[in-house]
Amino acid sequence: MAEISLILGGARSGKSTFAEKLALEDGRPVTYLATAEPKDPEMAERIAIHRQRRPSSWRTWEGAAEELPSAVSAQSGVLLLDCLTMWLTRLFLAGEAAEKADEKEWFAREAEIRSLTEKLCAAPKNDTHLIIVSNEVGFGLVPPYIMGRRFRDLQGRMNQLCASEASRAALIVAGYPLWVKGSAPRPDERSGVHGE
């Protein structure tokens, strides 16, 4: 049976590092699903740092945002999606709906993104562990501009959707997990990993 773990956290909370540790402890081959695009020098440097930190044995998938659910269904083992927020950002910025659409048009676009997110959560094959890293954006101030408010709402709703499909979810605070759904996986629950 497929398994989903949702790892949430704020900026620099340690969520990616925690998710990478979870993937390593699983013991199966890992595919890293990279969702960021190097559109400026800062992002290119961040991506390079992430690449250097990952084990060389991990495979990496980088592709078009709309192709992510299909990529998940084509893989097996451990899939580490880092991160949902970057994926949603790419979908959010496609076209002009995020900024120029009226509320009715925006809700139609959000419904399309929701459908893709549902496909993403339904995509893992049996015996696959999908680990989704995502930002918790609901603790801050209300953004003063429409795109910020729309994205914050979209992110919150898609986090809720992923959490509802996940077998476990953790909020990472200062590098430590608070399990808000389920509990930490035990190493001896996985094939190829033996607890002592």
Side-chain angles (χ1 to χ4, degrees), residues 1 10 27 29 41 53 69 76 81-82 92 104 106 123 134 139 142 144 155 159 169 192 196:
M1 188 171 168
R53 189 172 70 204
S76 60
L81 193 169
D82 196 358
F92 180 79
K104 185 176 179 183
W106 167 244
S134 190
F139 293 147
V142 175
Q155 178 74 67
N159 282 348
E196 293 186 61

Side-chain angles (χ1 to χ4, degrees), residues 167-190:
S167 51
R168 67 180 57 85
L171 176 66
I172 309 303
V173 179
Y176 289 89
L178 298 170
W179 291 97
V180 295
K181 181 178 182 182
S183 59
R186 291 188 359 232
D188 59 345
E189 290 177 343
R190 298 279 186 319

Side-chain angles (χ1 to χ4, degrees), residues 77-149:
V78 180
L79 311 179
L80 175 51
L81 193 169
D82 196 358
C83 75
L84 186 72
T85 303
M86 282 299 190
W87 182 64
L88 291 173
T89 298
R90 290 170 67 184
L91 295 171
F92 180 79
L93 294 176
E96 298 182 338
E99 184 176 16
K100 298 186 177 179
D102 62 27
E103 286 301 296
K104 185 176 179 183
E105 292 168 326
W106 167 244
F107 284 135
R109 177 59 182 150
E110 186 175 304
E112 292 171 0
I113 295 172
R114 180 180 184 85
S115 177
L116 276 172
T117 308
E118 288 169 346
K119 287 177 184 173
L120 171 70
C121 290
K125 296 186 290 193
N126 284 345
D127 299 322
T128 298
H129 183 191
L130 174 61
I131 302 169
I132 301 173
V133 177
S134 190
N135 285 273
E136 176 48 69
V137 298
F139 293 147
L141 299 173
V142 175
Y145 51 94
I146 192 167
M147 283 183 72
R149 289 191 298 275

